């Protein structure tokens, strides 16, 4: 398993040296400044590669850009509207330019309007550290009372809507403003402070798009770009919905194992695969992460290892981002399944037998608390996660004590 780390570019408060000190082998990055739908040019790709290759003192870092996260899919492609065909051509051109630069793994998602959503970006833990949290009652208060989306109340169980009424009534003006900012943080254009009116406009455009239709648009998109990816030797991998349930009346189609199975079967090429994000998928009690790794494994091209603690048994409920070995996902079993998949690939002679993983998100602890890195992407919290995950990988791979895959007598002990 290859240790990777998400880096947002030179403005990232976590430096190339920090990555080296954390024990990173490869870098995950994206050209966040290129507008969605436009081509990633060879020049811009080469510039980011050079930034990754150089330490702050100018000496070589020895690191390379190994995974793209994300090459974003435009809203036009998701809706089959406007310039969507031109955006597909641009997507293919970007894939070709990335392949030309030697980058093979391309992560993307197919969430309409929203990327990830939380109600708290810095929720205080008993230790004094902070983490991100999704509180369903706060979210309902936003949807019903701040966004005032028509039909919002009916989208929640009656008791949640009532609790949201009470919570909103007691909420200070400052918290109302902060809640709105937190929820729309993942919306495209959030950096330009999208107004609530603009959010409503984006949402309205999905009024007539059912989940079945959105799924078909995803399959259409893959049918168009996967042959190109295949020819170029690339591995595309779809990130799940985060959180993995319907929000704001939007269709969501990559939330469960069945969702993945449908899309993988519809475009049966190894170039179309999965970003298995244990944190996103783990927010639903019916997602069995080690089992998904076992069953979807041959198409998993990228792993996001993160843990969430669900605050109840509901299929759609509150959760917070736990420590990497805390929370509800059995991380040891998940990593064992990933190592077993790698062993199968080695036996089959697959060149992609080493699966890149990154410690996804981290709690803000120690010096992270003043550093103001991207929410979810602190230096020390992620380094702690990486160290813990690396310990499991090392132990399970140990030639005397660990499992080296199926058939190994040690495997039974896991
Ligand atoms: C959040 C991330 C997501 C992810 C995209 C992938 O921290 O995991 O924003 O990068 O959904 O396309």
């Amino acid at each position: 398993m290859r240790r990777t780390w998400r880096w947002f570019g030179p403005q990232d408060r976590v430096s190339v040296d920090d990555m080296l000190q954390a024990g990173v082998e490869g870098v995950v990055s994206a050209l966040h400044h290129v507008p969605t739908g436009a081509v990633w040019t060879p020049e811009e790709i080469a510039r980011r590669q050079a930034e990754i290759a150089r330490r702050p003192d100018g000496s070589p870092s020895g690191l390379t850009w190994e995974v793209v996260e994300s090459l974003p899919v435009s809203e036009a492609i998701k809706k089959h509207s406007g310039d969507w065909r031109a955006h597909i051509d641009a997507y293919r051109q970007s894939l070709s330019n990335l392949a030309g630069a030697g980058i093979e793994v391309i992560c993307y998602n197919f969430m309409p309007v929203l990327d990830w959503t939380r109600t708290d970006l810095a929720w205080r833990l008993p230790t004094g550290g902070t983490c991100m949290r999704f509180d369903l009652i706060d979210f309902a208060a936003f949807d019903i009372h701040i966004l005032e989306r028509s039909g919002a109340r009916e989208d929640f169980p009656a008791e949640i809507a009532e609790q949201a009424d009470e919570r909103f009534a007691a909420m200070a003006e400052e918290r109302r403003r902060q809640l709105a900012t937190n929820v729309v943080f993942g919306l495209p254009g959030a950096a330009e402070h999208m107004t609530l009116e603009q959010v409503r406009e984006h949402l309205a455009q999905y009024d007539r798009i059912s989940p079945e239709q959105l799924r078909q648009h995803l399959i259409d998109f893959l049918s168009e770009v996967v042959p190109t990816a295949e020819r170029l030797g690339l591995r595309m991998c779809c990130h799940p919905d985060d959180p993995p349930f319907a929000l704001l009346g939007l269709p969501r189609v990559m939330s469960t194992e069945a969702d993945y199975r449908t899309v993988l079967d519809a475009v049966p090429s190894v170039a179309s695969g999965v970003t298995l994000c244990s944190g996103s998928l783990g927010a639903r009690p019916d997602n069995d992460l080690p089992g998904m790794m076992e069953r979807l494994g041959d198409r998993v091209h990228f792993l996001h290892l993160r843990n969430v603690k669900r605050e109840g048994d509901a299929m759609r409920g509150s959760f917070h981002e736990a420590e990497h070995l805390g929370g509800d996902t059995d991380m040891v079993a998940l990593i064992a399944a990933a190592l077993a998949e790698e062993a199968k690939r080695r036996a089959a002679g697959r060149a992609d037998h080493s699966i890149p993983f990154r410690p996804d998100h981290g709690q803000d602890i120690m010096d992270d608390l003043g550093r103001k890195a991207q929410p979810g992407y602190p230096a020390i919290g992620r380094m702690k996660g990486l160290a813990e995950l690396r310990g499991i990988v090392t132990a399970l791979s140990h030639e005397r004590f660990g499992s080296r895959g199926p058939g190994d007598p040690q495997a039974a002990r896991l």
Side-chain angles (χ1 to χ4, degrees):
M1 291 173 68
R2 196 150 169 87
R3 301 188 299 274
T4 66
W5 181 273
R6 191 174 195 181
W7 191 59
F8 291 94
Q11 81 292 351
D12 196 323
R13 300 272 170 102
V14 182
S15 70
V16 170
D17 272 7
D18 292 338
M19 285 195 262
L20 289 170
Q21 289 161 25
V24 167
E25 295 174 302
V27 177
V28 177
S29 195
L31 303 181
H32 300 279
H33 55 285
V34 177
T36 303
V39 172
W40 287 17
T41 62
E43 295 72 29
E44 287 294 319
I45 295 168
R47 179 177 313 164
R48 175 55 48 85
Q49 287 180 305
E51 289 159 354
I52 289 169
R54 199 173 46 239
R55 298 178 53 185
D57 69 2
S59 63
S61 70
L63 292 172
T64 57
W65 184 4
E66 297 185 4
V67 178
V68 169
E69 179 179 351
S70 300
L71 182 58
V73 180
S74 71
E75 285 293 300
I77 293 176
K78 291 174 196 159
K79 291 181 295 198
H80 275 197
S81 67
D83 287 342
W84 74 281
R85 291 217 164 265
H87 288 182
I88 290 207
D89 289 340
Y91 206 95
R92 285 200 204 94
Q93 188 58 51
S94 298
L95 289 178
S96 166
N97 294 344
L98 286 163
I103 303 168
E104 293 178 4
V105 180
I106 316 291
C107 172
Y108 67 97
N109 73 73
F110 217 77
M111 286 176 257
V113 188
L114 299 156
D115 195 317
W116 54 275
T117 305
R118 300 288 182 272
T119 53
D120 291 280
L121 303 181
W123 187 61
R124 203 173 153 81
L125 293 156
T127 57
T130 65
C131 73
M132 301 209 282
R133 178 164 183 262
F134 179 86
D135 181 309
L136 188 64
I137 297 168
D138 275 349
F139 188 80
F142 166 79
D143 198 3
I144 300 169
H145 295 287
I146 299 178
L147 189 62
E148 297 176 318
R149 183 174 64 84
S150 73
R153 177 171 291 279
E154 293 67 46
D155 276 357
F156 295 94
E159 69 274 16
I160 298 286
E162 279 158 30
Q163 289 178 62
D165 296 342
E166 283 166 29
R167 176 119 9 128
F168 181 73
M171 208 180 267
E173 197 48 46
E174 174 54 26
R175 171 62 185 154
R176 291 178 181 176
R177 249 198 314 276
Q178 187 194 49
L179 177 59
T181 311
N182 291 351
V183 170
V184 300
F185 194 90
L187 294 176
E192 292 98 51
H193 302 293
M194 186 154 46
T195 64
L196 287 177
E197 198 39 54
Q198 288 167 314
V199 174
R200 290 184 196 104
E201 279 165 25
H202 269 284
L203 296 179
Q205 291 170 21
Y206 281 90
D207 276 353
R208 281 177 301 279
I209 302 183
S210 65
E212 292 67 36
Q213 216 168 339
L214 183 71
R215 182 175 288 116
Q216 189 54 50
H217 291 178
L218 168 55
I219 293 169
D220 292 344
F221 163 70
L222 291 172
S223 308
E224 296 277 353
V225 301
V226 166
T228 306
E230 205 172 67
R231 182 173 49 77
L232 295 165
L234 301 179
R235 300 185 289 289
M236 294 182 61
C237 40
C238 191
H239 188 281
D241 304 325
D242 183 2
F245 40 72
L247 289 178
L248 303 177
L250 289 165
R252 297 276 240 189
V253 295
M254 291 305 260
S255 296
T256 64
E257 180 170 353
D259 288 340
Y260 271 102
R261 184 42 72 200
T262 304
V263 171
L264 293 179
D265 288 351
V267 185
S269 162
V270 81
S272 168
V274 181
T275 296
L276 199 77
C277 176
S278 56
S280 305
L281 294 164
R284 267 176 88 113
D286 59 345
N287 279 331
D288 158 24
L289 267 303
M292 287 175 81
M293 183 66 221
E294 248 171 71
R295 292 182 289 273
L296 305 174
D298 63 332
R299 306 276 287 273
V300 172
H301 300 317
F302 187 27
L303 281 161
H304 283 184
L305 298 182
R306 167 161 79 78
N307 226 320
V308 293
K309 180 72 198 154
R310 294 187 296 270
E311 301 172 14
D313 301 328
M315 213 48 84
R316 181 170 69 148
S318 304
F319 60 87
H320 62 269
E321 301 196 357
E323 292 175 284
H324 289 75
L325 304 191
D328 293 309
T329 293
D330 183 339
M331 200 55 87
V332 176
L334 175 55
I335 291 177
L339 290 170
E341 171 58 27
E342 289 193 331
K344 275 196 228 163
R345 292 187 188 186
R346 271 195 300 275
R350 270 176 70 165
D352 62 343
H353 57 75
S354 184
I355 305 174
F357 77 97
R358 66 175 181 82
D360 193 17
H361 297 186
Q363 299 185 337
D364 283 85
I365 54 174
M366 304 178 185
D367 293 6
D368 293 331
L369 291 162
R371 201 192 287 220
K372 295 205 182 325
Q374 290 280 335
Y377 292 89
I380 300 174
R382 276 189 298 163
M383 180 179 74
K384 179 178 168 215
L386 179 59
E388 292 176 342
L389 298 166
R390 186 179 183 180
I392 296 174
V393 173
T394 307
L396 293 182
S397 313
H398 192 284
E399 61 174 40
R400 279 179 54 210
F401 307 107
S403 155
R404 279 156 291 158
D408 186 313
Q410 298 274 355
R413 290 216 208 143
L414 297 173

